[in-house]
Amino acid sequence: FSSRYLCYNEPMKKIAIIEDDPAISQMYRMKFEADDFDVRLAADGKVGVELVEKFTPDIILLDLQMPEMDGLTALKKIRSHAWGKTVPVIVLTNLSEEEAPDELRDLNIHSYIVKANLTPRQVVSKVKDVIG
């Protein structure tokens, strides 16, 4: 039987995916759930900030270009809370690093990933490396 049932004493890792493209967010949800993550989704930065304040994930995947509130503004709000100062954030975007806002450097992001450069499996692997 599955090893998933043998390690019942380990809590599931929690991940928040703040991404406005439903196809992309659902694809990542499936990949992370297959690896026993508790996944929550938000389709814009405003909902994402509300989500992470309640859900307190172990890590956040954050798109930059979104409606309602962009990823940079959302990250500033997340970092303004005591809990949000230390949560690892991986920016997952289609913007090249050269196009990224300079302010990101001051907001303690863990990694910057251009979506087209890594497969979903590689993103899952990177997240696991970050949170252990």
Side-chain angles (χ1 to χ4, degrees):
F1 53 91
S2 169
S3 62
R4 148 189 243 164
Y5 299 107
L6 297 177
C7 42
Y8 51 85
N9 57 342
E10 271 185 52
M12 290 177 92
K13 294 290 185 186
K14 300 190 304 184
I15 185 168
I17 301 172
I18 306 172
E19 162 67 59
D20 65 319
D21 184 321
I24 291 173
S25 58
Q26 288 300 331
M27 174 190 61
Y28 279 110
R29 174 199 288 263
M30 288 181 355
K31 291 287 183 194
F32 281 103
E33 284 179 344
D35 275 283
D36 293 327
F37 278 80
D38 182 0
V39 182
R40 303 290 162 86
L41 305 177
D44 66 59
K46 186 170 186 274
V47 174
V49 170
E50 294 166 5
L51 167 73
V52 301
E53 288 172 356
K54 293 180 184 117
F55 181 54
T56 61
D58 297 300
I59 192 164
I60 298 168
L61 285 185
L62 178 66
D63 189 12
L64 291 179
Q65 296 178 296
M66 295 180 289
E68 196 68 39
M69 180 189 290
D70 64 49
L72 177 64
T73 305
L75 183 55
K76 288 178 185 176
K77 289 185 179 294
I78 291 166
R79 291 290 189 230
S80 72
H81 296 280
W83 166 86
K85 288 184 185 341
T86 58
V87 64
V89 174
I90 295 178
V91 170
L92 185 65
T93 185
N94 283 320
L95 288 178
S96 69
E97 286 193 66
E98 294 77 38
E99 296 172 291
D102 290 335
E103 296 169 89
L104 272 180
R105 288 168 188 71
D106 303 327
L107 292 170
N108 189 26
I109 62 166
H110 191 280
S111 304
Y112 189 97
I113 298 173
V114 177
K115 292 175 194 172
N117 295 350
L118 291 183
T119 67
R121 175 66 37 220
Q122 289 171 310
V123 173
V124 170
S125 179
K126 188 154 190 77
V127 165
K128 287 178 165 183
D129 289 345
V130 173
I131 61 174

